[in-house]
Amino acid sequence: MKLPKILAREEVARSALFRIEALELEFSNGVRRRYERLPDSGHRAVMLIPITEDDKVLLIREYMAGFHAYRLTLPKGAVDAGETLLEAAQRELREEVGLRAERLTPLKTLSVAPGHMGFSITAVLAEGLTPDPLPGDEPEPLTVVPWPLDQLPALYSLDDFDEARAIAALQLAALHLADRP
């Protein structure tokens, strides 16, 4: 398919974290529309699926400003300037869970609301975990919550575990692990 032609592009708002851009588009059939979006900032991010030797995934409970609530999720964070994706994954795991991974396996890059946001995050499986904490940048200590991998449906039914990216990342990890001999 042919991409719509961008007739005009305008920044309509900016904050410390986000930029909102309006696009005036013309589609191949002549229809014109205005879209507002959070464009791709060029910054990459990682989401970790840390798996223990006894087949538990290590979740974190953290404050989510979007909902003004504490939620269960997976450790995650931005790739800093000069870092590779796997270096950032290792650092975030050490900062948020206090562990280092012997093996880091990128599973898939996931998008979030691609109709309005140019943001993506790479799900990374973390295995062979050993203690090696780093001070984090969170405003308060995170609570680590181990969850048995064979009980993911029960996790998905919890009201405080609802982040689509975390659910998708766990499913990718479960499929990856099931393919192993």
Side-chain angles (χ1 to χ4, degrees):
M1 297 188 76
K2 184 179 176 188
L3 287 173
K5 181 178 180 183
I6 298 174
L7 303 173
R9 181 186 319 238
E10 170 191 10
E11 185 176 289
V12 295
R14 180 183 287 265
S15 75
L17 296 176
F18 303 106
R19 185 170 66 88
I20 300 174
E21 179 179 78
L23 297 177
E24 297 291 337
L25 302 174
E26 182 175 350
F27 289 80
S28 60
N29 62 0
V31 173
R32 290 183 177 201
R33 286 277 159 80
R34 179 182 169 99
Y35 280 78
E36 287 187 357
R37 69 180 188 164
L38 299 172
D40 180 6
S41 65
H43 300 292
R44 298 181 305 162
V46 293
M47 176 173 273
L48 285 297
I49 309 101
I51 305 294
T52 64
E53 293 298 322
D54 60 347
D55 287 334
K56 290 187 175 129
V57 61
L58 300 178
L59 305 168
I60 57 170
R61 185 176 310 280
E62 84 178 305
Y63 174 73
M64 302 293 184
F67 290 96
H68 187 59
Y70 285 90
R71 300 275 171 91
L72 279 174
T73 189
L74 291 168
K76 62 190 159 304
V79 177
D80 290 342
E83 276 185 321
T84 68
L85 190 79
L86 294 182
E87 288 169 344
Q90 192 73 265
R91 177 184 48 74
E92 288 294 339
L93 184 62
R94 293 177 63 206
E95 288 176 358
E96 295 192 4
V97 183
L99 299 171
R100 169 182 292 283
E102 182 181 308
R103 292 177 309 286
L104 292 169
T105 307
L107 299 176
K108 184 169 182 66
T109 298
L110 305 166
S111 64
V112 180
H116 301 285
M117 294 173 48
F119 177 77
S120 62
I121 195 164
T122 302
V124 178
L125 181 64
E127 299 173 283
L129 305 176
T130 56
D132 191 14
L134 274 179
D137 58 1
E138 304 298 329
E140 62 186 358
L142 300 175
T143 303
V144 176
V145 178
W147 192 275
L149 270 178
D150 63 358
Q151 294 180 27
L152 290 181
L155 175 63
Y156 300 158
S157 71
L158 297 178
D159 289 341
D160 68 341
F161 185 78
D162 61 357
E163 186 178 359
R165 301 177 303 177
I167 293 168
L170 280 171
Q171 283 302 112
L172 289 168
L175 289 170
H176 179 84
L177 293 168
D179 284 345
R180 290 196 176 157

